[in-house]
Amino acid sequence: ASPKAFEYAWNDEFIAANGFAEVLKHSVERVARQMDTRGQGRTLVVYNPVAIDRQDVVTAEISYANPPTGIEVYDGKGVKVPTQIIDRQANTIKFIFLAQAPSVGLAVYDVRPTGADIQPTSTDLQPTGTGARSTKGAAALSVTDRTLENEFYKVTVDDKGDLTSVLDKKANKELLSGPAKLAFQHEAPRDWPAWNMDWSDRAKAPIANLNEQASIRILEQGPVRIALEIKRQGQNSMITQTVSLSAGQAGKRVEIANTIDWQSKAVSLKAAFPLTVSDSNATYDLGAGTIQRANNNEVKYEVPAKEWFDITDKSGQYGVSILNDCKYGSDKPSDNEVRLTLMYTPEANRGFRYQNTQDWGLHQFKYGIYGHKGDWAVGLSPWQGAFFNEPMLCFETPAHDGAAGKTFSFLTNNNPGVGVMAIKKMEEGDYYLVRINELLGKDQKAQSLGFAANIEDAYEVNGQEQKIGAAQFSKNRLTFDLSHYTIRSFAVKLAPAHTSVSTMYQQPVTLPYDQDVMSHDDNRFDGNFARGANLPAEMIPDTITSEDVRFVIGSRADEANNAIDCKGQTIDLPQGNFTRLYILAAAGNDTHADFVVDSSTFPLNIQRWTGYVGQFYNRKFALDGVTVTSIDAPFAKNADIAWFSSHIHKSYQSENLAYQYGYLYKYQINIPKGAKHITLPQSMGIKVIAMTLTDEPGDNTTPLQSLYDDFKDSPQVQLR
C-alpha cells in the first residue's frame, strides 16, 4: 500500500480510539459517582472490560506534590494487596498492583503513601484469587539473570536471549522442545509485495536469527511481577524484549513485551515456538468461532488468528496456546512448531520499490505463552486471550459515599462458555443491546446473564436491531440457549436504578463571533479558518454533542460569523451554580495558551484544526522515491475530538481537500461557582466555536494510564 493509504488508515483508527476513550472515561465517571469510594488514601477505581470476574495486574501512574518514598494499595475492604513501584519520573510514581474486579464492572481501591519502599515480605503477599481468596502466588516469585519462576511456571533463557525452557509446574510439563527463536525468513514475492508471501520463500529454512550481541538483565523484582530485559540485534534491526511472570491468576501466562527498531529488508521476522506437544492440526481463534488448519503446504502457509492459536497434543492431555495482542498472521512448519509473524518488509521490484522499506520504525507489541491441561476448550484459552488483549484499567476519582457500594457489575456471567461481544444502547429507544456468542464449540442450554437492575422487557433482535422473536427473562436475569459458536442478540430494557443519577444542567454561553470559518460546498470561497481553508458547513450540525455536553453552533450561512478569533477578549458568563466550562475550539497550529476565568489562569494546549491526529513513523524519501532519508517521530493529538469532517474546503481555489480531516476539540475547565467572566488568550490562531457551562458535581475522574497510544515513549528513529 502507498504511504498515504497508511496515513489515512492510521488517522481513522486514532479518531476512533480518541472517541472511545472519552466514552469510557465519561462512563466510569458516571458510575463511580454512585459508588462508595471512601478510603484512607487517594481513591482508585479499577475497570474490568471483560464479561467475567477476574484477577489481574493493574498499571497506574499517579502524581504527588511531594512524592512519598513508597506507596501501598488497599482494596474496598481495607485489605492490603501486593503493590510494586516500577518507575519514578519527577513527581510521578508508576506502579502495579494485583486487583480483583467483577464482570464488566468497577472495584474501589485506594493508594496510600508509606515512608519506605514496598518490599516483598510475607505479610504483604496476600493476592486474591478468582472466586475464593488465595494466599499463594506472590510469595512464589523469584528471578535470576537467566530464570523466572512463579506459582505456575519456571522459565529459562540462554546466553543468546532465547527461551529454552517453559516448565508448567502444576502439570510437571515442559512446553518447549528447543529454543524459541526469533527467525528471519527471506521474503521476495513475485506480485503485490505489500500483501503477498510466496511458497517458494516459505518452504526454505530461515536465513538468520535475531540473537546477536545479546544482553540480559533483571528489570523487575517485586511481589507483583518479575521480568527479564533482553536486548538483541540482527539484520540491521534491534529488539528489546521484556519476559515477565506475574503473581496470582495473571501468572498463568508467560508474557513477552517487545519494542523493535525495525530497519531490515527482504525478510519477515517470526517468533518460532518448537513445542513438546504435537499434532498435524492446530486450532485458530476467529473471534466468532475457531477453525482447525493443518501444517504449511503450497496453498496455505500464512493464516490468520484473532487473539490466540493452539496446538493440543494428539493424546488430548495437554496443549499450548500462543496469545497475541496485534499480530494476526502465523504459520505451522511441522506437527510441533508454530511461528507468529511479527514483522514483514519484502523485497520489492518494479513500481513497488518504495515497499522495500515498509514498516520501518519503532514497533511495540506483545505475545504470550499459555500452557493448559486438556485441549484449548478445557483450558479456556479464549478467556486468556481476552485478558491478554483487554487489560484492567485504573482511574482516580473523588472520595464520597454511594449506594452502589465498593463494587459494581453491569452484567454478570457465570458460564465461561458464553462470551459477551457487545453491550450498548440501542440506536433507537431506551433499550440496551447485548450480543452474546458461544465460545467453546459446545451447545449451552438454559444459560443466563444477570443485569444490575431488573429487566422490564426483552426480545431477540437481528443485526439491524429489528425484533425477530421473544426472550425469556425473570427479575434481573436473561435466559437463553446457545448452540455451538452461535451469535445471538437481545434488546433489554432495565428498570430505573434505585439510586438517582442527577441530571446535568447546562447553559450555552453567548459569544461575540467575529470571524467566518465555514463554507458550504456550493460556495467554498466563503470563510477562512487558516491559510485560505475552512470547515465544510454542510457537515456541521446546529448542535454538536460530546458525551452529554451540547455546544450550540453559530450560523453557517454564507458570510455569517461563527467563531471568535482570540485577541484577549473578555466574555461575560451566565450566572448560576456552574462548576465546569467546556470550550469547543481548534487552532491554525498546535498552540499553548492561557485562558483566565475571573482571576484564575487555566493553561490549555489547543490543537491544530486539520492534519493527521495520530501519525505513525513516517518515511521521508529522496527524489528517487525509494531511498529513505529520514523517519519522522510519531505524534498524537490527545485532546477530545468533539467533531470531525472527512474533508475541508480550500477557499481560494474552491476545492474539496479529500482526506484532509477537520477537527473541533472539547476542552474542560473546572471553575468556581459564580464565576463571572472568561478572558481569552492573545493568540489569533485559536478559534473558539462555542462554550457551554454545566453544574456537574465533584472533581474529574482521571485515567491513570493511557487509554490509547500516546507515543510518549516513542523516540525519533535514526537510520543505520
Side-chain angles (χ1 to χ4, degrees):
S2 70
K4 283 295 180 186
F6 284 121
E7 288 177 354
Y8 302 151
W10 185 254
N11 190 77
D12 291 341
E13 292 175 7
F14 200 91
I15 290 172
N18 182 291
F20 286 132
E22 186 64 16
V23 170
L24 175 59
K25 175 181 175 296
H26 178 76
S27 302
V28 170
E29 184 173 88
R30 293 299 296 269
V31 174
R33 285 179 190 169
Q34 312 308 312
M35 299 180 69
D36 181 358
T37 60
R38 295 171 296 178
Q40 295 184 27
R42 292 169 61 171
T43 301
L44 312 176
V45 288
V46 171
Y47 170 58
N48 173 22
V50 174
I52 200 165
D53 291 358
R54 170 186 184 187
Q55 183 197 63
D56 220 319
V57 174
V58 177
T59 303
E61 293 186 25
I62 196 164
S63 296
Y64 292 88
N66 297 298
T69 304
I71 57 173
E72 297 173 335
V73 176
Y74 290 77
D75 67 15
K77 296 181 179 180
V79 177
K80 187 193 303 184
V81 300
T83 308
Q84 181 177 336
I85 294 175
I86 59 174
D87 193 24
R88 292 176 179 268
Q89 297 291 335
N91 292 343
T92 300
I93 296 176
K94 186 174 184 178
F95 61 100
I96 54 178
F97 61 99
L98 205 58
Q100 182 94 16
S103 166
V104 194
L106 301 175
V108 173
Y109 289 80
D110 71 282
V111 56
R112 309 174 192 177
T114 66
D117 286 324
I118 306 299
Q119 299 296 328
T121 61
S122 58
T123 56
D124 292 331
L125 308 181
Q126 303 293 326
T128 56
T130 302
R133 290 187 178 274
S134 169
T135 58
K136 298 185 293 182
L141 295 180
S142 64
V143 59
T144 72
D145 61 357
R146 293 295 184 273
T147 64
L148 305 105
E149 187 171 0
N150 71 353
E151 178 183 355
F152 300 100
Y153 299 105
K154 182 174 182 180
V155 178
T156 304
V157 302
D158 63 16
D159 291 342
K160 292 184 177 181
D162 295 326
L163 273 65
T164 57
S165 173
V166 178
L167 176 66
D168 181 338
K169 294 166 59 177
K170 300 288 187 181
N172 192 28
K173 174 70 174 179
E174 172 60 53
L175 276 59
L176 297 178
S177 63
K181 298 179 181 293
L182 297 178
F184 289 105
Q185 193 80 24
H186 181 245
E187 304 285 359
R190 178 178 176 180
D191 299 309
W192 306 109
W195 293 275
N196 283 4
M197 293 173 168
D198 286 357
W199 173 245
S200 58
D201 292 321
R202 188 53 48 82
K204 298 174 183 175
I207 62 172
N209 295 309
L210 204 170
N211 60 5
E212 300 171 8
Q213 302 182 44
S215 66
I216 306 170
R217 70 180 182 100
I218 296 173
L219 181 66
E220 295 178 354
Q221 186 174 12
V224 181
R225 190 170 64 199
I226 52 177
L228 292 178
E229 180 187 79
I230 303 168
K231 294 185 177 183
R232 296 183 278 182
Q233 302 181 23
Q235 298 289 305
N236 204 43
S237 290
M238 300 185 296
I239 192 169
T240 299
Q241 295 186 291
T242 302
V243 182
S244 63
L245 289 176
S246 300
Q249 296 299 303
K252 290 183 176 181
R253 308 179 297 273
V254 180
E255 299 194 1
I256 299 99
N258 306 270
T259 298
I260 182 167
D261 181 348
W262 179 255
Q263 295 184 44
S264 300
K265 286 186 177 182
V267 293
S268 60
L269 180 67
K270 287 179 167 286
F273 303 95
L275 303 173
T276 56
V277 294
S278 179
D279 196 318
S280 58
N281 286 326
T283 302
Y284 297 83
D285 164 42
L286 300 180
T290 64
I291 188 171
Q292 283 200 336
R293 299 186 178 103
N295 296 343
N296 293 350
N297 58 58
E298 62 273 13
V299 294
K300 180 192 61 60
Y301 47 87
E302 184 77 9
V303 298
K306 189 177 180 184
E307 294 184 347
W308 57 272
F309 54 91
D310 180 272
I311 295 182
T312 295
D313 194 73
K314 290 178 182 178
S315 67
Q317 295 182 355
Y318 195 89
V320 179
S321 295
I322 304 302
L323 314 175
N324 81 88
D325 74 341
C326 65
K327 300 296 181 180
Y328 306 118
S330 68
D331 74 324
K332 187 171 186 287
S334 65
D335 285 1
N336 74 314
E337 184 177 17
V338 286
R339 302 190 302 181
L340 181 65
T341 305
L342 306 180
M343 303 299 304
Y344 177 68
T345 300
E347 180 180 333
N349 297 311
R350 300 189 299 278
F352 299 103
R353 289 190 299 154
Y354 64 89
Q355 294 176 1
N356 281 311
T357 55
Q358 75 174 29
D359 288 348
W360 278 20
L362 202 69
H363 297 256
Q364 295 175 316
F365 54 89
K366 295 191 305 179
Y367 57 86
I369 305 171
Y370 168 57
H372 53 83
K373 293 182 179 179
D375 65 9
W376 63 269
V378 173
L380 302 179
S381 294
W383 289 107
Q384 290 299 326
F387 298 158
F388 192 70
N389 279 267
E390 300 181 62
M392 297 208 292
L393 301 172
C394 190
F395 299 77
E396 184 174 11
T397 196
H400 50 66
D401 194 4
K406 296 288 187 179
T407 62
F408 172 85
S409 174
F410 183 83
L411 180 150
T412 58
N413 173 24
N414 297 322
N415 181 5
V418 176
V420 179
M421 303 180 75
I423 308 171
K424 73 179 192 70
K425 289 294 294 293
M426 297 276 283
E427 294 300 310
E428 298 178 359
D430 55 358
Y431 285 65
Y432 291 93
L433 181 135
V434 180
R435 182 167 293 117
I436 57 178
N437 66 319
E438 200 286 318
L439 294 177
L440 305 179
K442 303 174 183 178
D443 292 349
Q444 309 286 344
K445 299 293 185 181
Q447 300 303 313
S448 66
L449 298 176
F451 291 83
N454 284 339
I455 299 172
E456 291 188 339
D457 188 27
Y459 53 87
E460 188 167 5
V461 298
N462 61 17
Q464 295 178 294
E465 302 189 4
Q466 299 168 331
K467 184 176 181 178
I468 60 172
Q472 295 183 340
F473 61 91
S474 176
K475 295 184 179 179
N476 73 325
R477 302 203 71 82
L478 177 72
T479 303
F480 49 84
D481 293 338
L482 273 179
S483 58
H484 58 281
Y485 292 148
T486 295
I487 299 173
R488 299 183 71 180
S489 299
F490 296 93
V492 178
K493 183 179 181 180
L494 299 179
H498 295 299
T499 58
S500 61
V501 179
S502 59
T503 301
M504 178 177 65
Y505 177 73
Q506 47 190 302
Q507 172 72 47
V509 179
T510 301
L511 300 181
Y513 293 127
D514 59 9
Q515 188 171 4
D516 182 7
V517 298
M518 308 173 191
S519 66
H520 287 277
D521 198 55
D522 58 1
N523 182 17
R524 303 187 197 107
F525 292 104
D526 182 43
N528 179 26
F529 195 107
R531 292 178 288 280
N534 49 62
L535 296 170
E538 66 274 7
M539 294 190 68
I540 303 175
D542 293 335
T543 302
I544 291 175
T545 301
S546 175
E547 297 310 310
D548 293 341
V549 178
R550 299 185 299 275
F551 294 102
V552 178
I553 305 303
S555 174
R556 282 99 67 215
D558 288 352
E559 299 184 10
N561 290 333
N562 39 46
I564 298 177
D565 210 0
C566 291
K567 308 170 194 173
Q569 306 97 313
T570 296
I571 300 169
D572 292 336
L573 298 176
Q575 292 303 289
N577 293 320
F578 300 113
T579 56
R580 296 185 187 180
L581 173 65
Y582 290 95
I583 301 172
L584 186 69
N589 289 304
D590 292 354
T591 304
H592 178 86
D594 290 337
F595 290 73
V596 179
V597 176
D598 293 346
S599 59
S600 299
T601 300
F602 299 90
L604 296 177
N605 293 313
I606 309 299
Q607 294 179 357
R608 186 172 179 237
W609 74 293
T610 188
Y612 301 111
V613 298
Q615 175 68 67
F616 192 60
Y617 286 96
N618 187 45
R619 293 167 291 159
K620 292 293 183 66
F621 293 98
L623 293 177
D624 62 7
V626 174
T627 304
V628 176
T629 58
S630 63
I631 300 178
D632 292 339
F635 62 84
K637 303 297 180 74
N638 295 105
D640 175 28
I641 299 173
W643 172 91
F644 73 95
S645 63
S646 61
H647 65 285
I648 61 174
H649 290 163
K650 192 174 183 180
S651 58
Y652 59 88
Q653 291 182 337
S654 187
E655 287 183 311
N656 274 322
L657 299 181
Y659 296 110
Q660 297 297 310
Y661 295 79
Y663 312 99
L664 295 175
Y665 304 94
K666 179 179 71 178
Y667 298 91
Q668 175 188 319
I669 294 175
N670 293 339
I671 62 174
K673 291 182 179 180
K676 293 181 171 55
H677 47 73
I678 180 172
T679 301
L680 304 181
Q682 289 278 359
S683 182
M684 294 178 61
I686 296 176
K687 317 295 183 184
V688 174
I689 310 299
M691 293 185 188
T692 299
L693 288 162
T694 72
D695 65 348
E696 297 166 88
D699 296 327
N700 295 344
T701 293
T702 306
L704 296 184
Q705 69 286 298
S706 297
L707 298 179
Y708 55 96
D709 200 340
D710 57 12
F711 300 120
K712 69 177 184 178
D713 297 322
S714 301
Q716 182 86 35
V717 169
Q718 301 299 321
L719 293 176
R720 292 185 290 279

